[in-house]
Amino acid sequence: MNDNEYRVVWGKSGLYTLETSAWRTFRPQIDYSKCVGCGTCLLYCPLCCIGKADGRIVIDLSYCKGCGICREECPKQAIDWIKEAR
Amino acid sequence: MLKMMAASKGLVTHGVSSCQGCGIELIIRNVLDVLGEDTVLVIPPGCAALFSGTGPEAAVKLAGIQGNLENSAAIASGIAAGFRHQGNEHTTVCAFCGDGATVDIGLQSLSGAMERNENILYICYDNEAYMNTGIQGSSSTPLGASTTTTPAGKPVGSKDLIQIVMAHGVPYAATASVADLGDLRRKVKKAKGIKGCRVLHIHCPCPTGWGYHSSKTIELAREGVDSGAWVLMEYENGRVKLGRRPSKLGHAEDYMKLQKRFRTAVGELTAQTNERIISRYEYLEKLERLGGE
Ligand SMILES: Cc1ncc(C[n+]2csc(CCOP(=O)(O)OP(=O)(O)O)c2C)c(N)n1
Ligand code: SF4
Ligand code: SF4
Ligand code: SF4
């Protein structure tokens, strides 16, 4: 079983996911001049939507619910909190 | 085998309708990451059912069943019996249940499974009320906490699940918290490797039911452990071992004041809560010393 295959017991078209990004009123944005890459935000994000790419910590905003845990737990206050324009 | 519709790491998809900052979401992703795909999951009704479901809404990429509030441990026992007859000794049968499904409605089936020492891993995520149906008080709701069935604050304290479990003499039981994910993962891993009935009791902050901002989930869990309101411990081979010591034992006011559910519990109830916490902790310390002799 690789990363994009899995067993399901129900459903013709596979599993159904909600666009939870629509719930956000604020979005997290990493200020790379402050981020030290410690990974604390990655550890505590309940959605696991924070990952590493090209040696940097990146937030995948396609599902991020905007809970603010990453921002609260970041020891360097490196996550800015941007109001979503809706 | 089906292609996944959206990329997500691990055994749980993205796009699950649990609230922003929900403790269950952090717990279930970590638990399943440790247990791996050779796992069958039993989930009763409750907020965790947002992850299991039956149909394409299921967010967990594993075989499993959504049962009833009364019988998670019984269903898990049946699946374990099936595996036993097939000679399957490797698949983990995991029940993942709320506090209402554990300390109230499903307690008798859990007690039976513990008595028979069924080969199951029973995990109770404890958000300290019946959250999914609108925050009714459970017997895990702490003293003074306001719920829709205890609007003026719960007049009595909570049942002590870990001691109920210990009284059954199971091979392994532990408490854990999202405040220390390394410790939580270590305990899940350890439980996975043991045969027989294993029980994990995990503190699960719930922004919606406890009344705090979703960003404070980890901070709340940490305050719970620091004040002794949630005690980290393990029970193995009849011995109690306490985990991280509370740094401000008996100062639950710092933990309580962060949550709207305790707004009615000022004054006398805070003092009573602190007394309860201190006497429980001292008792557990005695048990730990007994085990060391
Ligand atoms: C016997 C029975 N009573 C009531 C219900 C309705 N019900 C469905 S989910 C739920 C809440 C379960 O609470 P808990 O186990 O604490 O999980 P949580 O919702 O807090 O995650 C209730 C009462 C039910 N399904 N079965
Ligand atoms: S917690 Fe803060 S400093 Fe650490 S990786 Fe995340 S953004 Fe960077
Ligand atoms: S705001 Fe919440 S969901 Fe979004 S990246 Fe941060 S921790 Fe994850
Ligand atoms: S009500 Fe609480 S436990 Fe249920 S999904 Fe929301 S935050 Fe999670």
Side-chain angles (χ1 to χ4, degrees):
Chain A
M1 191 153 89
N2 65 33
D3 268 358
N4 54 11
E5 281 182 319
Y6 59 94
R7 277 170 257 153
V8 283
V9 284
W10 283 84
K12 289 195 185 77
S13 51
L15 304 187
Y16 167 87
T17 57
L18 276 179
E19 289 280 327
T20 46
S21 59
W23 297 5
R24 280 198 306 264
T25 45
F26 284 86
R27 108 181 92 89
Q29 192 177 72
I30 297 179
D31 176 349
Y32 289 104
S33 68
K34 292 186 191 161
C35 173
V36 292
C38 65
T40 307
C41 53
L42 181 149
L43 187 71
Y44 288 120
C45 171
L47 275 73
C48 295
C49 66
I50 306 182
K52 261 188 191 156
D54 306 325
R56 293 211 301 189
I57 300 287
V58 286
I59 301 179
D60 174 357
L61 289 173
S62 47
Y63 290 100
C64 162
K65 295 175 182 173
C67 66
I69 290 178
C70 52
R71 175 173 184 256
E72 186 74 24
E73 295 303 315
C74 172
K76 298 288 170 193
Q77 282 85 46
I79 299 184
D80 295 330
W81 206 227
I82 316 286
K83 189 145 176 63
E84 293 283 6
R86 280 208 179 85
Chain B
M1 293 290 207
L2 289 160
K3 284 275 175 217
M4 205 154 87
M5 291 170 75
S8 79
K9 289 162 282 183
L11 292 167
V12 186
T13 67
H14 282 145
V16 185
S17 60
S18 54
C19 309
Q20 294 158 308
C22 174
I24 302 177
E25 186 151 12
L26 189 53
I27 293 170
I28 198 167
R29 287 181 195 278
N30 276 283
V31 164
L32 293 185
D33 190 41
V34 176
L35 291 183
E37 59 186 76
D38 191 10
T39 305
V40 170
L41 209 54
V42 180
I43 295 186
C47 288
L50 299 169
F51 293 83
S52 71
T54 47
E57 298 84 6
V60 173
K61 306 171 209 170
L62 290 170
I65 179 169
Q66 194 186 317
N68 305 110
L69 280 182
E70 298 89 339
N71 59 10
S72 314
I75 294 178
S77 303
I79 296 172
F83 283 141
R84 195 163 60 240
H85 285 286
Q86 289 175 349
N88 176 338
E89 293 195 354
H90 49 83
T91 303
T92 306
V93 182
C94 174
F96 189 82
C97 317
D99 49 290
T102 303
V103 285
D104 291 332
I105 306 178
L107 187 60
Q108 42 78 16
S109 68
L110 174 60
S111 176
M114 292 193 290
E115 180 206 1
R116 301 185 302 273
N117 196 22
E118 297 285 352
N119 191 23
I120 64 173
L121 169 57
Y122 189 100
I123 297 179
C124 171
Y125 64 90
D126 196 348
N127 51 25
E128 301 181 340
Y130 291 85
M131 292 310 177
N132 199 247
T133 38
I135 324 175
Q136 292 82 19
S138 80
S139 50
S140 213
T141 302
L143 178 71
S146 166
T147 65
T148 50
T149 53
T150 58
K154 195 179 171 210
V156 292
S158 54
K159 278 185 198 166
D160 196 332
L161 175 63
I162 197 76
Q163 294 213 57
I164 294 174
V165 172
M166 279 156 47
H168 287 75
V170 296
Y172 183 70
T175 61
S177 164
V178 291
D180 190 343
L181 288 173
D183 178 66
L184 187 154
R185 293 171 67 99
R186 179 183 66 78
K187 285 166 177 164
V188 175
K189 190 167 176 208
K190 187 165 181 182
K192 184 188 174 190
I194 292 172
K195 256 185 109 71
C197 190
R198 300 137 281 164
V199 180
L200 295 180
H201 189 199
I202 305 179
H203 201 210
C204 178
C206 160
T208 310
W210 297 8
Y212 66 87
H213 188 266
S214 59
S215 61
K216 304 276 186 192
T217 290
I218 311 299
E219 185 182 332
L220 264 223
R222 214 179 282 127
E223 286 288 345
V225 171
D226 288 347
S227 64
W230 188 264
V231 177
L232 292 176
M233 59 181 281
E234 281 178 291
Y235 169 79
E236 196 180 1
N237 301 322
R239 290 187 173 189
V240 171
K241 190 167 177 290
L242 296 180
R244 174 153 44 126
R245 309 271 148 172
S247 55
K248 33 184 182 177
L249 182 68
H251 287 282
E253 53 277 4
D254 297 347
Y255 168 66
M256 292 164 77
K257 72 176 182 227
L258 294 169
Q259 308 169 54
K260 289 204 189 92
R261 65 175 172 158
F262 287 118
R263 67 188 174 275
T264 52
V266 283
E268 200 192 335
L269 280 187
T270 314
Q272 264 187 50
T273 300
N274 284 331
E275 274 166 34
R276 267 181 79 92
I277 288 175
I278 293 172
S279 67
R280 176 170 184 257
Y281 196 78
E282 285 173 351
Y283 180 70
L284 291 171
E285 278 184 318
K286 274 187 205 148
L287 290 182
E288 185 181 39
R289 281 199 297 276
L290 272 178
E293 277 162 14

